[in-house]
Amino acid sequence: MTRLRFALLNAAHDGANTRRNFRRELDADLVEFDAVDGDLPDHTEFDGVVVTGSRSSVYWDEAWIPPLVDYVAEAADAGVPVLGVCYGHQVLAEALGGRVAGMDGFEIGYNEIRRVRDDPLFEGIGESFTAFTTHGDAVVELPPSATLLAENDRGVHAFRDGHCWGVQFHPEYDAETAREVTDGKRDQIGDARVDGVLESITPEAYDAACEAKALFENFTAYAERLAAERAERAAADD
């Protein structure tokens, strides 16, 4: 089968780490768009769409955000598989009719997340798993037709709506990214908390978090199945 082609909507303001991490984890040809710069696809002819994290909030008054939300809604409506990660998870929720709001506090570091139901995206991932989280916003209302997949005591960590999934945590992070992102939060959460999180970014914690990386392979496998079904239907119509 032809190699899958995904649109990578990079919402990171400094996208080098983000680009490296997603290119490492996704076994597909990635067509990258700088969403912050207003660069978005003019069509939805992809096998999948992936929306990255960002230091912005979905509800901020920034010109590039509404077009990104609109594009994700368009892709979802066209039946394209969508995976939103952290900020991308929040964009997807807004695009499908959910609501995002600021949290009371900030979740950061390697944290435990609980799956509440089985789903193909979480195939091979335990009911309780470790992942790196860094966010001050959360999905406070799921889209009307969405299903909750995972959570912890800080709120929603994964949902599904049709061919679309959002995950609040960062399965793509390597330890270098986790350290850089944490160190950049000193003004926001203070030196003491940052230093504590940095101490917890150990090889053992990272190894535990690698379990969640399986969702990238699962998303790709799902997109591949859909692409094969579309190809079969097209062949039957000829």
Side-chain angles (χ1 to χ4, degrees):
M1 183 175 173
T2 305
R3 188 169 165 83
L4 295 177
R5 189 165 172 264
F6 289 170
L8 179 65
L9 309 185
N10 194 339
H13 293 259
D14 180 7
N17 279 348
T18 300
R19 183 179 304 111
R20 180 187 73 243
N21 290 334
F22 280 97
R23 288 192 176 279
R24 182 185 61 243
E25 301 300 339
L26 286 165
D27 185 16
D29 289 335
L30 301 184
V31 185
E32 188 176 343
F33 298 87
D34 184 350
V36 180
D37 200 37
D39 179 28
L40 293 170
D42 58 6
H43 62 85
T44 60
E45 299 299 312
F46 297 100
D47 298 306
V49 171
V50 178
V51 191
T52 76
S54 177
R55 65 171 179 256
S56 294
S57 293
V58 174
Y59 48 80
W60 284 359
D61 183 17
E62 295 187 358
W64 63 276
I65 296 174
L68 173 61
V69 174
D70 289 346
Y71 178 80
V72 170
E74 181 185 349
D77 189 57
V80 180
V82 178
L83 176 64
V85 176
C86 195
Y87 177 77
H89 154 90
Q90 296 164 15
V91 166
L92 180 63
E94 288 277 350
L96 299 180
R99 189 168 70 87
V100 174
M103 296 165 58
D104 180 16
F106 198 92
E107 184 180 28
I108 186 167
Y110 287 111
N111 287 292
E112 184 177 299
I113 297 165
R114 301 178 300 276
R115 287 197 296 112
V116 299
R117 55 180 45 82
D118 292 335
D119 186 86
L121 190 72
F122 286 91
E123 184 73 31
I125 299 173
E127 288 193 12
S128 178
F129 60 95
T130 298
F132 197 87
T133 67
T134 170
H135 62 115
D137 294 328
V139 174
V140 295
E141 290 179 17
L142 287 173
S145 55
T147 301
L148 178 68
L149 298 180
E151 63 184 0
N152 67 7
D153 58 0
R154 302 311 302 272
V156 174
H157 266 280
F159 71 88
R160 179 180 183 175
D161 193 332
H163 300 312
C164 303
W165 289 268
V167 297
Q168 179 62 70
F169 53 94
H170 281 280
E172 82 282 8
Y173 271 17
D174 52 24
E176 176 188 347
T177 304
R179 282 190 289 267
E180 284 190 19
V181 168
T182 301
D183 200 52
K185 300 295 183 189
R186 292 186 182 276
D187 290 345
Q188 193 167 359
I189 63 175
D191 289 340
R193 189 167 179 207
V194 165
D195 291 342
V197 173
L198 288 173
E199 288 180 9
S200 73
I201 301 174
T202 63
E204 293 76 17
Y206 173 71
D207 286 347
C210 283
E211 177 186 14
K213 291 180 182 293
L215 70 81
F216 290 114
E217 184 177 339
N218 294 337
F219 177 74
T220 302
Y222 183 89
E224 195 164 35
R225 287 194 297 273
L226 277 192
E229 289 170 6
R230 285 196 301 270
E232 288 176 6
R233 287 195 299 270
D237 291 341
D238 286 345

